[in-house]
Amino acid sequence: MRETLVLLLMAVTAGCATAVDSSRELRQIADEVWSRELEGNLSARMRLGLPIETMPDPSYENAAADAASARRVLERLERIDPRSLSEDERLTLGVLRWRQQLAVDGLPHFWHQFPVTPYNSRVREANEALAQFTFRGGADAQRYVRLLAGYARFIDALTAVVTEQRRRGILIPQPELPLVRGMFGGLLQEGDASPFALAGGRLSALSGEERAALMEGVRQAIERQINPALRRLLNVLSSDYESAAPRAVGLAHQPGGSDAYRFLMRLHTSLDLTPEEVHRLGLAEIDRIEHELDGIRRELG
């Protein structure tokens, strides 16, 4: 009897230790994933009041690194027993698995994303980060100039993506090209007209010497780095590019676009449905709503 009790207590203790270990590991993984997310998520950093240290990296290499990190996270999550977790922890586990799997599954469809179209580009996010930048001293001034250099590299990375997409036969549809050219052309301004130039009111915390050094650094960054990068991108989106681009919009007109569209369906709905199934669902909902509206019309006369 005594030996049975000892074994039972040992089993209970081991179970408690497993639960504690699982909870601790899950918390650590979640913290690490969030920290990695914060490194490049400008919107989140702005919301949380964190300093902006880098510009976005839209390259395939960065997406591949994210996918590799996601695979490692998934391997660690597989070793966690959901039965030892609380309900909230199981939800956290499920969300982590879902998001990391999307990062892995999305990598083969990287080239079907268009990071230069206005509705899909991180350019607006980067512009907002620069526009909201606060200067509290000389160190901030130096960081702003470094960010402008990073912005130029960001634009060049976008150019590299667009160039490789074209090599693969994936081009921005013709109807969208004026929007893309307009957005980047609007950023290509000289001197004080540049959206990256600074108004004096933002620099009140700087000394006269710091202010002068910053203004000169900004001027050189615009003239020597940002504007040349913008011109390189616009040159890629030439009339020759337009003549090769599809006239019709939609991924169905791109090589491998159907598979990419199927992935995007899962990404944006969390459901493993085909486009045809979603289309039928939409038509059925329209019929249902119209039927209800007819009833209301008859009731109200």
Side-chain angles (χ1 to χ4, degrees), residues 233-251:
L233 176 56
L234 289 168
N235 286 340
V236 167
L237 302 173
S238 61
S239 57
D240 176 62
Y241 182 102
E242 184 169 1
S243 64
R247 289 185 173 85
V249 299
L251 285 176

Side-chain angles (χ1 to χ4, degrees), residues 28-45:
Q28 182 175 344
I29 293 172
D31 288 344
E32 290 173 6
V33 168
W34 177 235
S35 295
R36 183 178 177 87
E37 172 74 16
L38 275 183
E39 287 177 9
N41 191 323
L42 299 188
S43 295
R45 295 187 75 85

Side-chain angles (χ1 to χ4, degrees), residues 8 10 22 29 49 53 65 76 98 103 115 134-135 145 148 156 161 176 179 206-208 217 269:
L8 179 61
M10 289 175 63
S22 294
I29 293 172
E53 303 288 352
R76 293 171 64 186
W98 170 254
T134 301
F135 297 91
V145 174
L148 292 184
D156 278 332
V161 171
E176 291 181 307
L179 301 176
L206 305 182
S207 68
T269 69

